[in-house]
Amino acid sequence: MPGTHFALVLSEAEIAAVADATVADLAHRLAIRAFRPLGDPGALPGGAAESDALAHLHALVHLQRAVERQVDRAAEHAADVGAGYPQLGQACNMSRQGARRRWPGLVAPARHPHGVTGSSAGPAARSAARDGDT
């Protein structure tokens, strides 16, 4: 059955604000841990501020890539435990078709009662099986 299967405790705006603050803090901590300026930061053309800003930007790029990997893993896990493309799409703020394009073949075709699947079913049933709409 389509649906999110969870309730929001915070509003979407509140979730976005918490996520933004968390990512900014994480990027700052990653930049401090992973990068250091070359030479004397005070002698650089843009000074320490430019060096810090570029390290922060580079840390954010790494975090963005990490988030995409985590999204793919979470989608795979959700599909493994029974979510279909409609649920994946809704959780990712995209359409069912968008989820199918992003993760082709992730959701197994649905099994129908009496062994009817794919090509032996009617067009609506084939579409539902292909899209995980059961």
Side-chain angles (χ1 to χ4, degrees):
M1 168 196 277
T4 339
H5 304 293
F6 59 84
L8 296 178
V9 175
L10 301 174
S11 71
E12 291 289 342
E14 291 169 324
I15 294 169
V18 170
D20 285 349
T22 302
V23 169
D25 179 60
L26 184 57
H28 176 74
R29 289 189 288 126
L30 179 59
I32 289 170
R33 181 174 178 189
F35 311 115
R36 63 177 158 67
L38 296 175
D40 177 15
L44 296 172
E50 181 180 338
S51 176
D52 291 347
L54 291 171
H56 186 85
L57 177 61
H58 194 67
L60 283 167
V61 169
H62 277 281
L63 291 173
Q64 184 177 37
R65 290 176 184 156
V67 166
E68 288 303 315
R69 289 189 298 272
Q70 291 299 314
V71 166
D72 290 343
R73 288 180 190 134
E76 185 176 333
H77 177 69
D80 287 346
V81 296
Y85 285 118
Q87 294 83 19
L88 294 174
Q90 187 173 14
C92 295
N93 292 324
M94 64 174 66
S95 68
R96 167 185 55 84
Q97 294 89 345
R100 277 188 67 214
R101 279 191 295 275
R102 173 139 184 199
W103 300 291
L106 185 62
V107 175
R111 300 265 181 214
H112 293 281
H114 313 295
V116 177
T117 60
S119 63
S120 61
R126 281 195 304 273
S127 176
R130 185 176 56 247
D131 297 339
D133 293 338
T134 57

